[in-house]
Amino acid sequence: MSEKTYKNPFTLDGRLPYRNGLNDKKMEAMEGLVDSALKGSRIAVGNLSEALTTTSDGQRAFAQLVNATVLPELDDQIDKVGDQIATVRRVSDFRPNYLYTLNQSWGAGVVGDGQVNEPLDTLPTVPEGTVYPEAIFAGELIENSGIRKTGLRTGATWEALVNDTLGLVQAMPGAFRNLAVNTLERDVITTLVNASGLPTFAGGTSVDGTVVVPDAPISRAALAVAITQLKNQVKTAYEGTVSGGFNLIVAVGQGDLANFLINSLSLDSIADGPRTFSVNAGNPLSSITVIESVYVTSTTEWYLIPKKGTTQRPVLERLTLVGHEQAELRVNNLTGNYIGGSSVPPFEGSLDSDMIDWRVRLVTGSVLWSPQAVVHSDGTP
């Protein structure tokens, strides 16, 4: 069930307008019929089957109800993926995208003492009576930064709907939802793991003196060194900082181990004869959130990236097309017309083969703007 509430759950407050004579009363009747059927009422199952195979209003109401149920759930899952991994950018077309930034164009002595050599992340001082310095608004084109259309079509015969109405009713929403959510996770994670030239974990000495080798497996010391390495990379490459926590992305089955290592402190007190001293140094790794993904294929490798919104320059973003941000679910209406001119509803099947077709479309994409804001280790030193 969706976490968002709507004043009108059948039209999603105008997102799915009524057509072909549908109204709230008809939708409430169909919702009650489906609910009773799913709860095991044999009478409701029979009435639902009859409504979907003999009445045009019933078929159209069911198509509307499936859309109104599936789309908000897709939106909820999409938001969760975005919250965990990447920020979201709306783009206007399918062409590769530019990341626009302001760059200084003045030379030494133009702006004033102490301003020229500082990164352009603040407004420079303008001495009295001097001309305002000019900055260049430049676009950086990133390879493979465009969006693309994804989707599929699936169908069932009119006979299948007659024979197993309840089975199709139960299976249809979940199938579309799972495919769309998996697509979004695949886009974001594979953009990260397939990126070329990612900085590898260089190793070093952690704050407690532990020496960590390059490409080390996950450990508390390795993560502490990786945080320092990542912060230095962001400062050097982008003249920026990381002002928040980090995401640690690992393969499925490795999250429990990672969380155990992150949250396990082996020392909480020191005993000296009759005296006990508490150790309250905190956990320097507590800002790390572990995320498992099936698209990380090796059980030893790991990726450390800043959490969304913690850097001035975006790191990893999911792309959506303006006006088509959500998945779109349609039922095929190429059913012909009855003799006399009235249209045949979609659940009567197509004109040529009695097929009932559904189609889902999702315009999506993702881009890694800042590869130097990533630390990757294959876990095999």
Side-chain angles (χ1 to χ4, degrees), residues 7-158:
K7 294 180 180 179
N8 189 323
F10 304 123
T11 65
L12 305 184
D13 297 341
R15 181 176 169 187
L16 297 171
Y18 286 142
R19 294 184 176 89
N20 300 314
L22 289 181
N23 55 42
D24 288 349
K25 186 175 181 179
K26 292 178 181 178
M27 291 303 303
E28 289 169 359
M30 176 54 67
E31 182 183 44
L33 193 59
V34 170
D35 185 58
S36 297
L38 294 176
K39 289 179 179 178
S41 170
R42 294 183 179 273
I43 295 176
V45 171
N47 290 337
L48 179 61
S49 179
E50 182 178 0
L52 293 183
T53 56
T54 63
T55 67
S56 60
D57 279 350
Q59 295 169 10
R60 294 189 177 101
F62 179 69
Q64 181 86 9
L65 184 62
V66 170
N67 273 285
T69 302
V70 172
L71 295 183
E73 292 184 359
L74 284 177
D75 294 345
D76 289 345
Q77 295 298 321
I78 289 171
D79 289 342
K80 290 177 182 177
V81 171
D83 285 345
Q84 290 182 341
I85 306 297
T87 51
V88 178
R89 181 182 295 261
R90 300 166 71 237
V91 300
S92 58
D93 54 43
F94 287 86
R95 292 174 293 182
N97 290 278
Y98 289 84
L99 179 64
Y100 288 98
T101 55
L102 283 169
N103 300 274
Q104 66 182 36
S105 63
W106 54 88
V110 174
V111 182
D113 292 340
Q115 294 294 322
V116 175
N117 295 322
E118 294 180 6
L120 191 57
D121 54 4
T122 60
L123 293 174
T125 299
V126 182
E128 181 181 357
T130 63
V131 177
Y132 279 86
E134 180 182 4
I136 300 173
F137 198 53
E140 179 182 351
L141 181 63
I142 304 295
E143 186 179 0
N144 299 322
S145 61
I147 55 175
R148 69 190 192 285
K149 180 176 67 177
T150 67
L152 57 79
R153 184 182 68 179
T154 188
T157 63
W158 178 75

Side-chain angles (χ1 to χ4, degrees), residues 3 74-89 181 184-185 188-189 245-249 287-291 305-310 316-320:
E3 299 174 0
L74 284 177
D75 294 345
D76 289 345
Q77 295 298 321
I78 289 171
D79 289 342
K80 290 177 182 177
V81 171
D83 285 345
Q84 290 182 341
I85 306 297
T87 51
V88 178
R89 181 182 295 261
V181 171
L184 295 169
E185 180 186 351
V188 171
I189 299 297
F246 303 88
N247 287 324
L248 177 66
I249 303 171
S287 64
I288 297 178
T289 298
V290 179
I291 299 171
I305 65 173
K307 288 185 177 179
K308 130 181 144 172
T310 60
L316 184 62
E317 290 192 319
R318 181 170 61 82
L319 306 177
T320 65

Side-chain angles (χ1 to χ4, degrees), residues 75-341:
D75 294 345
D76 289 345
Q77 295 298 321
I78 289 171
D79 289 342
K80 290 177 182 177
V81 171
D83 285 345
Q84 290 182 341
I85 306 297
T87 51
V88 178
R89 181 182 295 261
R90 300 166 71 237
V91 300
S92 58
D93 54 43
F94 287 86
R95 292 174 293 182
N97 290 278
Y98 289 84
L99 179 64
Y100 288 98
T101 55
L102 283 169
N103 300 274
Q104 66 182 36
S105 63
W106 54 88
V110 174
V111 182
D113 292 340
Q115 294 294 322
V116 175
N117 295 322
E118 294 180 6
L120 191 57
D121 54 4
T122 60
L123 293 174
T125 299
V126 182
E128 181 181 357
T130 63
V131 177
Y132 279 86
E134 180 182 4
I136 300 173
F137 198 53
E140 179 182 351
L141 181 63
I142 304 295
E143 186 179 0
N144 299 322
S145 61
I147 55 175
R148 69 190 192 285
K149 180 176 67 177
T150 67
L152 57 79
R153 184 182 68 179
T154 188
T157 63
W158 178 75
E159 291 87 347
L161 181 61
V162 172
N163 292 336
D164 192 13
T165 302
L166 185 58
L168 289 175
V169 167
Q170 293 182 97
M172 197 179 301
F176 287 126
R177 179 184 63 246
N178 293 339
L179 286 174
V181 171
N182 290 345
T183 299
L184 295 169
E185 180 186 351
R186 178 202 64 191
D187 274 8
V188 171
I189 299 297
T190 57
T191 294
L192 174 66
V193 302
N194 292 337
S196 59
L198 288 180
T200 58
F201 177 60
T205 304
S206 77
V207 291
D208 64 356
T210 303
V211 177
V212 187
V213 298
D215 273 329
I218 296 175
S219 67
R220 288 187 61 83
L223 291 174
V225 173
I227 288 176
T228 301
Q229 178 181 332
L230 192 153
K231 288 181 175 180
N232 287 334
Q233 288 174 184
V234 171
K235 178 182 178 182
T236 301
Y238 310 120
E239 298 182 327
T241 60
V242 181
S243 59
F246 303 88
N247 287 324
L248 177 66
I249 303 171
V250 297
V252 172
Q254 302 305 305
D256 289 340
L257 172 62
N259 277 313
F260 175 79
L261 293 172
I262 289 170
N263 296 301
S264 293
L265 292 173
S266 58
L267 183 65
D268 56 10
S269 63
I270 301 172
D272 180 17
R275 296 175 297 179
T276 299
F277 300 91
S278 296
V279 178
N280 296 312
N283 184 359
L285 304 181
S286 61
S287 64
I288 297 178
T289 298
V290 179
I291 299 171
E292 290 186 343
S293 175
V294 296
Y295 301 104
V296 177
T297 55
S298 170
T299 58
T300 61
E301 69 178 335
W302 48 274
Y303 299 81
L304 189 71
I305 65 173
K307 288 185 177 179
K308 130 181 144 172
T310 60
T311 57
Q312 291 176 315
R313 177 186 169 100
V315 178
L316 184 62
E317 290 192 319
R318 181 170 61 82
L319 306 177
T320 65
L321 180 62
V322 173
H324 299 273
E325 290 86 352
Q326 296 89 12
E328 180 186 81
L329 191 60
R330 289 187 188 179
V331 61
N332 193 348
N333 62 355
L334 296 178
T335 52
N337 295 293
Y338 290 117
I339 295 176

